[in-house]
Amino acid sequence: MKRTLLAISFVCCTLAMAAQDAITVKYQGAKPNISDFVSAFVDARHNEVDEDECVDEAFIAVARAWELHQKGLPMVEGETLTVDLRSGYVCLERKSKYESTEDVQKWEMCYWNESDGKHKLFAYNVLCFRNGKYDPGQFDGLTFYRYDNATKKMKMCEAPGFEFRCSTDGGTWVSYALPRVGRDITVSYWYKSGKKNKTLKWTGRKFNF
């Protein structure tokens, strides 16, 4: 039942985001960097908050952390923001403890240059862990946006080359980790006996197992 509710929640939020207009990416210099993509993404999602409650609940931590970063202020206690301009990667991590339980939430964002030289691919990924094991929350999921160099706009697109799944047919959780190093996505299958990883390899336009 939990898997079904999570899947429904993710689909509803994805449909709400897909309804938005293309997002304009503003930048200085020859090309945008990861900070430009994140700023555009955050600003666009902010405009949806009043219209869609699920977007508000899913995104408020990222929006707050990014605002603090832009103002040069420290993060909220328990939160760490990594901004790697060279690698094109941003990650907000929140840790909390209660008695014997340690929860970790991660919001990842990165982008890839596509081989046609005309587009870039931006990804937003949400992950929740409990005591070191994947324990997806209501808003866990991976979404992609394709950016057009000519129009300076990006719009949500399907997962390129693969089908996003939050669990297998057998009920095993599936998580995705965006690359800070390299270009490939790591897919983890969380079996009771342990975790098994597979790699989604970036080909310049899509990902292949």
Side-chain angles (χ1 to χ4, degrees), residues 89 91 106-110 112 123-127 129 134 141-142 144 162 164 174-190 195 197-200 207:
Y89 177 87
C91 180
K106 296 179 71 174
W107 294 263
E108 295 182 307
M109 288 162 278
C110 72
W112 295 261
Y124 170 66
N125 190 35
V126 182
L127 299 153
F129 299 88
Y134 185 53
L142 174 62
F144 291 94
F162 69 99
F164 169 81
V174 182
S175 67
Y176 299 79
L178 301 182
R180 179 175 180 179
V181 178
R183 300 179 298 173
D184 304 330
I185 294 175
T186 300
V187 185
S188 298
Y189 298 84
W190 297 82
K195 181 180 68 170
N197 294 333
K198 289 187 177 181
T199 301
L200 281 167
F207 296 92

Side-chain angles (χ1 to χ4, degrees), residues 47-68:
N47 293 334
E48 299 172 358
V49 167
D50 292 337
E51 299 178 4
D52 196 304
E53 185 178 353
C54 82
V55 173
D56 183 17
E57 292 181 11
F59 199 64
I60 190 65
V62 173
R64 182 188 64 238
W66 195 247
E67 182 179 4
L68 291 174

Side-chain angles (χ1 to χ4, degrees), residues 2 38 42-45 50 69 81 89 93 97 104 120 122 127 135 139-140 156 158 162 168 172-173 180 182 186 191:
K2 182 180 179 183
V38 175
V42 168
D43 288 346
R45 293 284 296 274
D50 292 337
H69 167 70
L81 182 67
Y89 177 87
E93 183 173 287
K97 291 183 178 181
V104 177
K120 301 181 191 298
F122 174 79
L127 299 153
D135 187 42
F139 301 106
D140 277 40
M156 182 178 284
E158 294 182 355
F162 69 99
T168 65
T172 298
W173 290 125
R180 179 175 180 179
T186 300
Y191 300 102

